[in-house]
């Protein structure tokens, strides 16, 4: 049997694996001489390669994050990211959301207000997870836990590749 990154057995030992986009970035996104608004594709590109805490797979490979579930309003400094856990009772949902939040905090200009949400009707504890992920004090407290921060850092470590 396969162990997770934290040494435990995965809740979903055989997740479905999806095909990934070859390169979702457009030519203008790669040219630093052109100013363009941050858009859904750019945010997706920031988070797509985050590793799942249970499997040696990315959030994109597991279909946890998709371009169509990211909503950017650059001129309003607002981003909403919906993610879909692989199973409705996933105990890693808050951790996955925390990884997404940390990656975006490290990647985006500070002017953005970012909401991280479980996709509607995709998790048994949707409301509690959403509340936890969007409460600054809870997020800050979670990131003060060295063990948890270590897991988050492992998940986002190779997400720029």
């Amino acid at each position: 049997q396969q162990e997770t990154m934290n040494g435990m057995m995965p809740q979903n030992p055989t997740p479905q694996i999806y095909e990934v986009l070859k390169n979702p970035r457009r030519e203008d996104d790669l040219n630093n001489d052109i100013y363009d608004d941050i858009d859904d594709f750019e945010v997706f590109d920031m988070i797509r390669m985050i590793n799942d805490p249970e499997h040696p797979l990315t959030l994109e490979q597991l279909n946890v994050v998709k371009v169509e579930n990211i909503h950017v309003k650059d001129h309003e400094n607002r981003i909403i990211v919906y993610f879909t856990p692989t199973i409705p009772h996933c105990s890693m949902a808050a951790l996955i959301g925390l990884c997404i939040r940390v990656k975006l905090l490290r990647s985006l200009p500070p002017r953005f207000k970012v909401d991280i949400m479980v996709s509607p009707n995709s998790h048994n504890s949707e409301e509690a997870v959403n509340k936890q992920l969007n409460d600054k004090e809870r997020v800050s407290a979670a990131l003060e836990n060295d063990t948890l921060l270590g897991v988050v850092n492992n998940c986002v470590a190779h997400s720029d590749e």
Side-chain angles (χ1 to χ4, degrees):
Q1 287 189 337
Q2 163 192 3
E3 287 189 5
T4 64
M5 288 170 47
N6 62 10
M8 300 176 69
M9 292 312 205
Q11 289 181 329
N12 184 4
T14 57
Q16 183 170 349
I17 300 172
Y18 296 83
E19 188 175 339
V20 300
L21 295 175
K22 297 295 181 229
N23 186 356
R25 287 188 174 192
R26 293 176 301 239
E27 204 57 42
D28 287 351
D29 291 337
L30 300 173
N31 185 345
N32 290 330
D33 295 330
I34 298 174
Y35 175 82
D36 60 336
D37 290 346
I38 292 176
D39 62 20
D40 306 352
F41 283 97
E42 260 181 292
V43 172
F44 176 71
D45 201 40
M46 291 174 193
I47 64 175
R48 65 194 285 252
M49 299 303 285
I50 294 172
N51 285 322
D52 181 80
E54 279 195 322
H55 302 284
L57 299 165
T58 67
L59 297 185
E60 181 185 19
Q61 288 174 307
L62 293 171
N63 221 25
V64 171
V65 294
K66 299 189 272 188
V67 174
E68 58 266 24
N69 291 337
I70 298 170
H71 308 283
V72 177
K73 295 180 180 175
D74 188 86
H75 296 294
E76 295 177 23
N77 302 318
R78 182 78 191 236
I79 297 173
I80 301 173
V81 175
Y82 290 95
F83 70 99
T84 306
T86 60
I87 52 176
H89 57 277
C90 178
S91 66
M92 300 285 170
L95 178 56
I96 292 167
L98 186 61
C99 291
I100 294 169
R101 176 166 298 288
V102 166
K103 177 62 180 179
L104 293 178
L105 280 170
R106 293 176 181 174
S107 303
L108 288 167
R111 66 183 170 91
F112 282 101
K113 172 166 181 355
V114 178
D115 290 317
I116 309 294
M117 312 285 277
V118 174
S119 297
N121 304 312
S122 69
H123 194 274
N124 296 346
S125 302
E126 174 185 336
E127 191 175 318
V129 172
N130 288 344
K131 185 174 181 180
Q132 188 174 4
L133 290 174
N134 294 292
D135 182 316
K136 285 182 181 179
E137 290 176 15
R138 287 185 188 193
V139 169
S140 181
L143 296 176
E144 288 175 11
N145 177 318
D146 289 338
T147 303
L148 190 55
L149 182 59
V151 173
V152 169
N153 284 335
N154 281 340
C155 290
V156 301
H158 301 288
S159 57
D160 288 330
E161 296 175 358

